[in-house]
Amino acid sequence: MELVKFLFDLTAFASIMILVVSGLAVIASLMGIFNMAHGEFVLLGAYVVFLCQMSGVPTWLGMVMAPIIVALVGLVIERTVIRRLYGAPITAMLATFAIGLTLREAVRFAIAGKYYEIAAPLPGVFSLGGVDFSIWRALIIGVTVCVMALSIFVIRFTRFGLQIRGSLENAALARASGLSTDRLYCWTFAIGAGLAGLAGALMVPLFSLSADLGLQFLVQAFLAVMLGGVGTFEGPVFGGALMGSLIPGVQWAREYLGIADFISPVAGEVFIYVLILLTVKMRPQGILRRN
């Protein structure tokens, strides 16, 4: 039963990673830019929930508003800064790093560098087969499944998705065919930011709010995108699920195998990063290669 409970918690953590990575993936795959401010978009989603709670607004409403507000912030950033840097990916990375640093320190100033607990809108547990499961973690899993199903439907079966896939294959040909890639990039960046905001809103009851909340997921998200493969939507999502499963999985294995006294948690994470880097070295296009 303990194994079932662990697998449930592992799935919940992997679901958060999938949401974080999916937002980064659509930006990196379509626009060729690794958004170094993506972790701060996650932080902004959590901060919106915090502001709603402090203002007396229901927490669940803050979680609904978070992806919308963060998407609007992403839209403004894309229109004012990112759109000028599509031809210079290194400069774009430096610009998004500066934007992320500004956002992070602004939030740190706003919360006075403190940590805040956010109560889950649906606390408590439910029992199944004699095992107690967190209601909120189950909701995170359900929301992630719905968001991923909707994303795949949009990409595969709608006109907007066709435009995205066309731009992925050949952006120059898409522009020559009359497609406004400028407008497409704008909405794609906003959607990617909104997904990050949703991830931050859902995860903040599990992790206390701090200015560094998004940093702990940024490196993992980048590795997940590289592991799954840039150029597709499914590849990075698969990489996010794998990354989100490996980290808690190794820590559980330490306890289960009785080697926790010999191998530290940090050594376990280092092992994962080395394993992923070796995988990327052998398959630089990612596990799910783009045809």
Side-chain angles (χ1 to χ4, degrees):
M1 291 303 179
E2 288 296 327
L3 178 60
V4 174
K5 180 68 165 54
F6 166 75
L7 291 176
F8 174 79
D9 291 339
L10 184 147
T11 304
F13 184 78
S15 298
I16 291 174
M17 279 301 303
I18 288 173
L19 288 176
V20 174
V21 169
S22 60
L24 184 63
V26 295
I27 295 173
S29 297
L30 180 62
M31 304 165 68
I33 293 174
F34 278 98
N35 178 22
M36 300 296 290
H38 196 73
E40 280 62 47
F41 289 156
V42 173
L43 171 62
L44 286 180
Y47 184 61
V48 169
V49 176
F50 168 74
L51 288 180
C52 290
Q53 180 176 276
M54 295 298 292
S55 303
V57 177
T59 305
W60 66 265
L61 183 57
M63 292 181 175
V64 172
M65 295 169 55
I68 300 173
I69 293 176
V70 178
L72 291 175
V73 172
L75 188 68
V76 172
I77 291 174
E78 196 280 336
R79 289 289 85 184
T80 56
V81 179
I82 305 301
R83 65 177 301 189
R84 309 174 191 278
L85 303 173
Y86 288 138
I90 301 301
T91 305
M93 288 180 62
L94 293 174
T96 55
F97 177 80
I99 292 170
L101 181 63
T102 302
L103 292 175
R104 183 167 67 252
E105 295 308 314
V107 172
R108 193 189 308 276
F109 176 79
I111 63 177
K114 298 179 181 179
Y115 289 76
Y116 289 92
E117 297 291 335
I118 305 295
L122 294 175
V125 298
F126 66 95
S127 296
L128 189 63
V131 181
D132 292 335
F133 299 97
S134 166
I135 296 176
W136 185 247
R137 292 175 188 264
L139 181 66
I140 290 175
I141 296 172
V143 169
T144 301
V145 170
C146 292
V147 170
M148 290 301 101
L150 179 61
S151 299
I152 292 174
F153 174 80
V154 169
I155 290 174
R156 294 295 179 187
F157 303 106
T158 66
R159 180 180 178 85
F160 180 67
L162 179 62
Q163 293 174 345
I164 290 177
R165 287 184 284 122
S167 297
L168 278 173
E169 291 294 333
N170 193 321
L173 181 59
R175 285 191 292 269
S177 302
L179 177 64
S180 175
T181 55
D182 183 64
R183 183 172 58 187
L184 183 64
Y185 289 169
C186 171
W187 288 111
T188 300
F189 195 89
I191 292 171
L195 288 173
L198 176 62
L202 292 175
M203 77 168 63
V204 71
L206 305 180
F207 304 87
S208 57
L209 173 66
S210 71
D212 298 320
L213 175 65
L215 284 179
Q216 59 184 309
F217 294 94
L218 183 61
V219 174
Q220 297 173 10
F222 275 110
L223 286 176
V225 171
M226 294 170 61
L227 182 64
V230 179
T232 65
F233 178 76
E234 295 83 358
V237 169
F238 172 77
L242 193 59
M243 190 77 181
S245 302
L246 281 174
I247 292 178
V250 168
Q251 304 307 333
W252 176 81
R254 289 175 55 254
E255 301 291 338
Y256 182 77
L257 297 176
I259 58 176
D261 295 334
F262 306 99
I263 300 178
S264 68
V266 175
E269 290 195 17
V270 170
F271 170 76
I272 293 172
Y273 292 146
V274 171
L275 182 63
I276 290 175
L277 289 175
L278 289 175
T279 304
V280 172
K281 176 65 175 178
M282 292 184 291
R283 295 180 67 91
Q285 293 180 332
I287 295 177
L288 299 183
R289 295 184 178 183
R290 176 180 169 188
N291 294 325

